[in-house]
Structure formats: C-alpha cells, structure tokens
C-alpha cells in the first residue's frame, strides 16, 4: 500500500543519514549514537578508545591515521575508528575500557583485545593477518628457501590442488590466524612438495633447532589440533626464558615446567644443555624444560619470585601451573641427569611435597617490639594459644606497607607490656605458608588466642583502628572503611579502585 511505503521511506532516509559518520584523517569518529551503525557497516574495524590528555594516545595518533589512510588508498574494507572515552563513557564502560589507549578489533561485531604493534606498518600487517588470507603462497623451491631463510620457526601447509581449493583448508586458515609470532606458507605444487619430502595434505613445521622438522598428517580439518601441534612442536626442547618466550611458555597447554637456573657462562653449560635436551625428549608431553639465564638482569624478577640468590645456582625448581602455582625442589643442587630423572619421576608419581620459600630465622627476631616472622617460625609463634598474634604480611617494594611502618611500630610499642599480645610482621615475598596464600600487600591478620581463629583486618590502617581491633579480639575493624583515601594518581597506578577495601598493592 502506498501510504505505508510513504511512511517507511523517510525512516529509511533518516537511518541512512544517521550512519553518515564523520572522519578525521580517514579515521572514523565514533560516538554512542553511531557506534552500532558503524559496527554493522564495517565487518572489520579497529577501534581506539582514547583520552585527549593521554600521552601514549598522542604518539599513536599519527601512526593510526597513516594506517587508516593506507588501507583506504588500497581500497581495503578494514576500517580504523576512534572513540573519545572521556566523553563517550557509556561505550567505554560497555567495552571495559580501563586505561588509555585501549584498542579493540571488531570482527562481525565481536570485539577482541588488540595488543598488536603501534606503528602504521605493524597495525596494517596485524589487521591483514586477522582478515585477509593469512598464509603466503610459495610457488617455487626458491620461494620456500627465502621464506624459511631467516625464521627460527615457520610452518608450511602442503595441499593437493590449486590455490582456489585452499579455501577449503578452513581449519588451517583459522589456526594460522591465532598465531601472531609464527609465519605460515602453503604449497600446492606436487613437484615442489616432493623436494621437501612432503605430499598433500600435510603440515610441516620447520625449525632451526632440535630435530629441525615436525609433521602433522592427520586431523588437518581440526583447527584446535593444528594449533596444538604448532604450539608444541615450535618450542625448543630446552627453551630459554625471556620476554619473547615467556608467554609461549606459561600460556601453553603444558602445565608442568622444570626450570633450571644457571649462568650460561658456567663451564659445563653445554653438557647440561645436552643432557637436559635428552631428558626433554623422554618427557615430551609431560614436562617443559626451561632455562633461566641468571646472568640476565631482567630475570631477577623470576629468580626473586623463587627466593633464589647467587649462591644457590645452579638451581632446579619444578612448577605446576594447573591451578595455583605450586613449586617443588629437588634435594640435591647438582645437575646430575640421573638424579634429575628420579626427581621428575617422583614428581609425576605424586610422591613429592611442595616446596615453600623461607628465610632463616633471624637471631634477633623477637628483640624489637615488632617480631620478625619467617616461614620457619611462623606456626610456632602465630598459633600460640596463649597469645593474640597480629601479623602484617608485607612486600619490601609495597608503598602502602612502607607508609604503615611507623604506625605499626607505634602499635607494637603500645602493646609491648602485654604478654598475651604479639605484634609481628613477615616478608611474604621471601616466606610462604602452606595454609595461607597472600595475594596483596599489606595483609593483616589476627591469630586469636584460645581457638587460634584467624580474623582479617580490613579497617583503616591507623593506630586507633588497629588498637580497637586488637582490644576487641578482632570484633571491630572487619568492615570495609568508608570511601577510599587514595588520590587519583595512586588509584591509576594501583588497582585499588576496583576493590572496596583498604588500599593494597597487588602482587
Ligand atoms: C642448547 O644446544 C642447542 C644445540 O646446540 C642450541 O641450539 C640451544 O640454543 C642451546 N640451548 C640454550 C638454552 O642455550
């Protein structure tokens, strides 16, 4: 009927007009009102949530515009967009924007976090990998040689048939997209495949270490199997821990890791390397063998985490990451392959008890008003049924802990005369407890006399607050304090604003 179409027409026109989106240097300027329309119109869109005052956003802006312009010049369907998150707060909170800039890549309207490069070329190559055909066609032996030449690891899919049929290898393409750090190629020419002792359909992972090559001939239609194959076979038998490898080590399927801490300059390093690689072959799908070079300054964080000092090297720790991180330590410190094997077998058989870090008990641990606890004397002191024991768990680097020091000292002075009260502290970065896991600093707990009940102190960290808590036997001071006394700068550095508790430094 005519009247209905007349009615519909202006609506259509209106909605078309509404999707007319402003661009700045070929970057779409999105806001609450046009965001959904833009998502609908562009299947692949990178969105930057920024704040006008943010420095990283300012340095990204020219590169971002350059990438947007280049893509536009190439008639690419990929769009770059930006949202002023300080104005469009609804959008910012909808997409969980916490810091600036936050970049999200939307494919068919579904967002994923963008943690890719911040240079124009890098942005473009990342986006193309996510959207276009992500593997390189290799149509000669020379092309393959060049492709493999400067890559530690690369994967080539050998397929029967011509490139148009490669589209069928959907699982391959999808698997390829999930790797940012490994390049993939494909070959369809039978003669070329034969040069590489391959025949369609199969995947070959080429590597410049260990066996040099790994093959996958079955399950080629299963994306997850392909991903698992590449993840597993691309790792060296004895992988060196560093910035690049960290994520691949710790986010992989393998949850058991044997870490060897030693200097690469050690005389017998090559021998250790050889024997560990032999061992790694035997435990291929059970354990990952990781080398931590103790000469590398950057590795001090991980060695600190394990409570290791110079005199401890070479050191061995086995960790399990299935749920919480659990550590195991062999009795012997020498790197004897037979003993390592016994240690690993005992671990796999469930015969070992977890290892907990502890410092030695200081000779003067009970001389000052604030008693010093370590892993080795904790239980004896804290679970003394005749005493209320207040313990502050701290980290040497934690700012909130440092602020607490004079107040806590004063508290200890105040209760010094009471022989049924102990005020104590423990450095939780160097001392661990089987029964208690400390995730943020400072954490304050009262171990009550009598029943040894444990009560957390979540009140204000003032002399008055803690005094009241102690004198009431843990009754007062469990409620969260009103508001948060952190200023904005601190709140942005710490994660405190997400917690309705007294401010803490997260581990
Ligand atoms: C161990 O030796 C292999 C073979 O020589 C070498 O490729 C690898 O880099 C060495 N591993 C480490 C952690 O240095």
């Amino acid at each position: 009927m005519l009247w209905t179409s007349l009615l519909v027409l202006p609506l259509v026109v209106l909605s078309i007009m509404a999707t007319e989106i402003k661009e700045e240097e070929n970057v779409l300027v999105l806001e609450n009102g046009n965001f959904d329309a833009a998502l609908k119109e562009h299947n692949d869109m990178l969105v930057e949530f920024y704040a006008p005052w943010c420095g990283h956003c300012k340095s990204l802006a020219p590169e971002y515009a350059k990438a947007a312009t280049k893509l536009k010049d190439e008639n690419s369907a990929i769009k770059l967009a930006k949202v002023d998150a300080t104005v469009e707060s609804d959008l910012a909170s909808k997409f969980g924007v916490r810091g600036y800039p936050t970049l999200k890549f939307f494919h068919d309207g579904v967002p994923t976090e963008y943690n890719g490069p911040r240079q124009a070329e890098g942005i473009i190559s990342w986006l193309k990998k996510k959207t276009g055909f992500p593997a390189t066609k290799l149509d000669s032996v020379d092309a393959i040689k060049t492709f493999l030449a400067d890559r530690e690891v690369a994967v080539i899919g050998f397929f029967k048939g011509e490139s148009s049929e490669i589209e069928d290898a959907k699982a391959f393409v999808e698997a390829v997209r999930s790797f940012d750090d490994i390049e993939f190629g494909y070959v369809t020419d039978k003669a070329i495949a034969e040069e590489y002792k391959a025949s369609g359909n199969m995947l070959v992972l080429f590597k410049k270490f260990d066996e040099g090559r790994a093959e996958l001939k079955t399950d080629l239609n299963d994306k997850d199997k392909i991903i698992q194959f590449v993840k597993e076979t691309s790792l060296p038998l004895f992988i060196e821990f560093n910035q690049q490898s960290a994520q691949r080590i710790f986010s992989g399927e393998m949850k058991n890791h044997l870490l060897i801490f030693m200097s690469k300059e050690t005389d017998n390093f090559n021998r250790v390397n050889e024997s560990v690689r032999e061992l790694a072959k035997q435990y291929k799908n059970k354990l990952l063998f990781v080398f931590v070079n103790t000469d590398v300054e950057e590795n001090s964080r991980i060695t600190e985490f394990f409570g290791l000092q110079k005199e401890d090297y070479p050191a061995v720790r086995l960790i399990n990451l299935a749920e919480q991180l659990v550590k195991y330590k062999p009795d012997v410190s020498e790197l004897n392959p037979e003993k390592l094997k016994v240690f690993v077998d005992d671990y796999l058989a469930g015969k070992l008890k977890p290892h907990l870090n502890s410092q030695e008990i200081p000779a003067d641990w009970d001389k000052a008003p604030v008693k010093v606890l370590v892993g080795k004397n904790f239980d004896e002191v804290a679970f003394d049924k005749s005493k209320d024991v207040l313990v502050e768990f701290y980290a040497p680097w934690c700012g909130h802990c440092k602020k607490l020091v004079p107040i806590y000292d004063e508290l200890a002075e105040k209760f010094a005369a009471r022989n049924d009260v102990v005020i104590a502290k423990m450095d939780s970065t160097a001392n661990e407890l089987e029964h208690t896991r400390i995730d943020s600093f400072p954490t304050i707990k009262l171990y009550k006399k009598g029943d040894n009940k444990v009560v957390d102190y979540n009140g204000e960290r003032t002399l008055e607050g803690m005094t009241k808590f102690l004198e009431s036997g843990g009754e007062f001071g469990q409620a969260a304090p009103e508001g948060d006394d952190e200023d904005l700068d601190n709140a942005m550095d710490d994660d405190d604003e997400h917690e309705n508790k007294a401010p803490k430094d997260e581990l």
Side-chain angles (χ1 to χ4, degrees):
M1 268 173 273
L2 188 64
W3 63 270
T4 40
S5 37
L6 278 178
L7 209 66
V8 167
L9 190 64
L11 282 177
V12 171
V13 171
L14 263 179
S15 72
I16 288 170
M17 283 172 59
T19 61
E20 193 63 47
I21 295 168
K22 200 175 113 191
E23 291 188 8
E24 281 172 16
E25 296 180 280
N26 302 312
V27 175
L28 297 172
V29 181
L30 301 186
E31 47 203 39
N32 215 356
N34 63 15
F35 194 87
D36 289 342
L39 270 193
K40 231 175 247 157
E41 199 172 318
H42 306 293
N43 279 340
D44 293 302
M45 189 165 75
L46 182 65
V47 182
E48 181 204 0
F49 295 87
Y50 70 97
W53 44 260
C54 132
H56 292 300
C57 307
K58 283 181 196 156
S59 42
L60 173 62
E63 293 295 320
Y64 202 69
K66 204 160 128 193
T69 306
K70 188 133 191 269
L71 286 168
K72 188 168 191 166
D73 291 347
E74 291 176 357
N75 285 324
S76 167
I78 307 168
K79 274 286 177 189
L80 266 61
K82 61 180 179 180
V83 171
D84 183 342
T86 62
V87 177
E88 309 299 329
S89 48
D90 285 353
L91 283 177
S93 72
K94 179 173 175 188
F95 293 108
V97 173
R98 292 246 179 98
Y100 308 113
T102 291
L103 290 122
K104 303 244 172 196
F105 175 65
F106 291 81
H107 177 69
D108 286 339
V110 181
T112 49
E113 203 74 28
Y114 174 90
N115 290 316
R118 300 248 175 114
Q119 268 74 46
E121 277 311 314
I123 294 171
I124 292 172
S125 116
W126 190 95
L127 288 169
K128 283 195 173 161
K129 197 149 186 180
K130 290 287 175 204
T131 55
F133 194 80
T136 310
K137 182 169 172 68
L138 302 167
D139 51 12
S140 68
V141 170
D142 276 347
I144 296 181
K145 279 189 181 144
T146 312
F147 180 74
L148 296 178
D150 50 359
R151 302 204 154 102
E152 276 290 290
V153 174
V155 183
I156 299 181
F158 293 91
F159 293 100
K160 285 180 196 147
E162 284 311 307
S163 64
S164 61
E165 290 159 47
I166 294 303
E167 299 294 342
D168 296 342
K170 269 220 157 72
F172 176 67
V173 174
E174 278 177 40
V176 171
R177 288 220 168 92
S178 66
F179 290 94
D180 284 342
D181 53 350
I182 295 179
E183 287 295 318
F184 292 75
Y186 69 92
V187 170
T188 55
D189 185 296
K190 204 170 160 219
I192 298 172
E194 276 165 6
E195 290 277 324
Y196 283 86
K197 296 190 180 60
S199 55
N201 297 325
M202 73 185 272
L203 300 190
V204 180
L205 183 138
F206 293 90
K207 47 185 162 182
K208 297 225 165 24
F209 48 84
D210 300 336
E211 326 86 309
R213 168 181 177 126
E215 297 177 355
L216 182 70
K217 292 181 180 166
T218 55
D219 298 316
L220 289 180
N221 58 352
D222 184 337
K223 167 193 155 200
D224 294 329
K225 285 273 164 55
I226 296 177
I227 292 174
Q228 194 188 342
F229 162 77
V230 174
K231 276 190 175 168
E232 275 175 18
T233 58
S234 61
L235 291 177
L237 286 167
F238 190 26
I239 183 169
E240 177 161 357
F241 172 87
N242 56 37
Q243 295 288 338
Q244 291 82 45
S245 65
Q247 193 184 348
R248 291 175 62 213
I249 295 171
F250 295 117
S251 69
E253 303 293 309
M254 189 69 74
K255 297 302 177 197
N256 294 321
H257 303 165
L258 184 106
L259 289 86
I260 295 181
F261 299 84
M262 73 187 290
S263 157
K264 214 172 195 165
E265 304 303 316
T266 315
D267 285 342
N268 66 347
F269 176 77
N270 285 339
R271 233 182 33 238
V272 170
N273 183 5
E274 274 317 302
S275 54
V276 170
R277 277 153 29 96
E278 272 315 305
L279 210 56
K281 277 183 205 158
Q282 297 169 40
Y283 292 93
K284 208 158 188 176
N285 296 312
K286 300 200 175 90
L287 217 62
L288 204 63
F289 290 77
V290 182
F291 166 58
V292 182
N293 187 355
T294 53
D295 295 333
V296 176
E297 182 56 37
E298 275 173 7
N299 291 344
S300 61
R301 275 202 82 122
I302 180 163
T303 53
E304 239 167 63
F305 175 81
F306 284 91
L308 291 169
Q309 316 270 322
K310 248 200 171 73
E311 58 272 20
D312 298 325
Y313 305 136
V316 176
R317 292 290 184 276
L318 202 156
I319 57 173
N320 176 274
L321 297 166
E323 283 166 33
Q324 291 185 341
L325 186 147
V326 186
K327 306 193 284 289
Y328 300 85
K329 178 188 169 191
D331 288 333
V332 286
S333 60
E334 56 190 304
L335 286 168
N336 173 319
E338 279 94 65
K339 287 183 179 155
L340 267 187
K341 191 166 159 35
V342 171
F343 172 60
V344 168
D345 286 336
D346 282 350
Y347 167 73
L348 292 172
K351 286 188 195 162
L352 300 183
K353 266 185 79 139
H355 169 73
L356 301 166
N357 292 347
S358 175
Q359 291 169 308
E360 292 306 318
I361 304 172
D364 57 352
W365 74 273
D366 60 348
K367 296 292 178 284
V370 177
K371 311 301 175 208
V372 179
L373 301 187
V374 296
K376 291 180 177 171
N377 67 352
F378 187 92
D379 287 6
E380 196 186 326
V381 176
F383 296 116
D384 181 342
K385 285 193 163 43
S386 68
K387 293 186 167 82
D388 274 330
V389 183
L390 189 73
V391 184
E392 182 215 349
F393 300 90
Y394 71 96
W397 44 260
C398 137
H400 295 301
C401 305
K402 285 179 194 152
K403 251 190 263 172
L404 181 61
V405 170
I407 303 167
Y408 205 67
D409 283 346
E410 213 178 321
L411 181 76
E413 297 279 358
K414 196 167 169 180
F415 283 89
R418 289 269 298 268
N419 57 15
D420 62 337
V421 175
V422 174
I423 309 290
K425 63 178 178 183
M426 184 170 89
D427 177 353
S428 278
T429 62
N431 298 283
E432 295 169 310
L433 304 169
E434 204 177 337
H435 46 76
T436 309
R437 207 182 125 93
I438 304 298
D439 289 320
S440 58
F441 307 111
T443 289
I444 301 175
K445 290 176 186 285
L446 174 65
Y447 295 78
K448 290 180 67 166
K449 65 180 166 197
D451 59 4
N452 278 167
K453 215 178 128 204
V454 185
V455 188
D456 280 301
Y457 180 68
N458 293 319
E460 281 180 51
R461 293 191 208 106
T462 57
L463 185 61
E464 300 74 46
M466 290 185 290
T467 301
K468 220 166 155 188
F469 179 67
L470 265 174
E471 281 174 345
S472 67
E475 291 298 319
F476 288 102
Q478 285 168 256
E482 294 284 311
D484 193 319
D485 62 358
E486 283 299 274
D487 60 28
L488 187 63
D489 276 350
N490 266 338
M492 307 231 297
D493 291 341
D494 302 338
D495 251 352
D496 287 342
E497 75 265 38
H498 308 305
E499 268 188 287
N500 187 23
K501 281 198 216 143
K504 288 176 174 187
D505 285 326
E506 295 294 320
L507 182 61

